[in-house]
Amino acid sequence: MRTAMLDKPRSACSAYRLTAPAIPATTRLARDFVRGILAPDHSPALVEAARICVSDAVTHVVAHATADHLHMDIHLLRPRLLIAVLDDDRTGVFQRHETPPEAKGLMLIRRLSAASGITWKWDPHHRVGSRRVWFELRTSD
């Protein structure tokens, strides 16, 4: 695992990336990473919404990924905050699960975000290469 130093960005768009093992403990690491980036300049409500959504996204990716690592990208484009969690699955194995009606997967993201979704990346042989769970929150500035 690597330690990153976060400098105050100088451009209108701030971008950050966290790469970590695709294990359940990464959920807490991702939440803390988001808080460290957002807390100095944003409302506690936005920070908490982002942390909840990140928990939901990382949990989903860890549960469904066959990759060893995941990446979390954070893009702050005021007034939007875009966060995506993606695996780097290169196996081409597509694990399709039928979702029961009572399933709560990504429900928190859908409830708290302005927009959200899952983007699939396919390889040239029409196999799933990776999946990206993303969401957008609106900042108050």
Side-chain angles (χ1 to χ4, degrees):
M1 190 162 317
R2 297 180 200 143
T3 303
M5 297 296 292
L6 301 176
D7 292 328
K8 188 100 172 152
R10 292 176 180 84
S11 67
C13 172
S14 306
Y16 303 91
R17 175 170 260 202
L18 171 71
T19 299
I23 59 174
T26 296
T27 304
R28 181 176 180 180
L29 175 67
R31 280 194 313 260
D32 292 346
F33 187 74
V34 165
R35 180 182 37 194
I37 291 168
L38 298 179
D41 297 320
H42 298 282
S43 72
L46 176 72
V47 173
E48 191 58 24
R51 292 181 76 230
I52 290 168
C53 290
V54 161
S55 290
D56 206 16
V58 170
T59 299
H60 179 84
V61 169
V62 167
H64 297 287
T66 56
D68 294 333
H69 289 82
L70 60 81
H71 309 284
M72 180 174 66
D73 294 329
I74 301 172
H75 297 275
L76 186 54
L77 306 152
R78 288 183 174 89
R80 300 177 314 170
L81 169 65
L82 303 169
I83 298 180
V85 178
L86 59 142
D87 65 20
D88 214 2
D89 191 347
R90 300 285 187 230
T91 64
V93 175
F94 178 57
Q95 299 177 343
R96 185 178 184 122
H97 305 284
E98 188 164 330
T99 305
E102 67 276 3
K104 295 184 173 88
L106 306 178
M107 180 181 70
L108 294 171
I109 290 175
R110 288 192 300 268
R111 181 172 290 169
L112 294 173
S113 66
S116 65
I118 299 177
T119 304
W120 300 90
K121 180 179 174 184
W122 302 88
D123 73 6
H125 304 289
H126 305 287
R127 295 177 301 195
V128 173
S130 63
R131 65 199 51 76
R132 176 186 305 251
V133 178
W134 60 271
F135 61 90
E136 177 182 322
L137 299 173
R138 298 293 177 160
T139 65
S140 58
D141 35 318

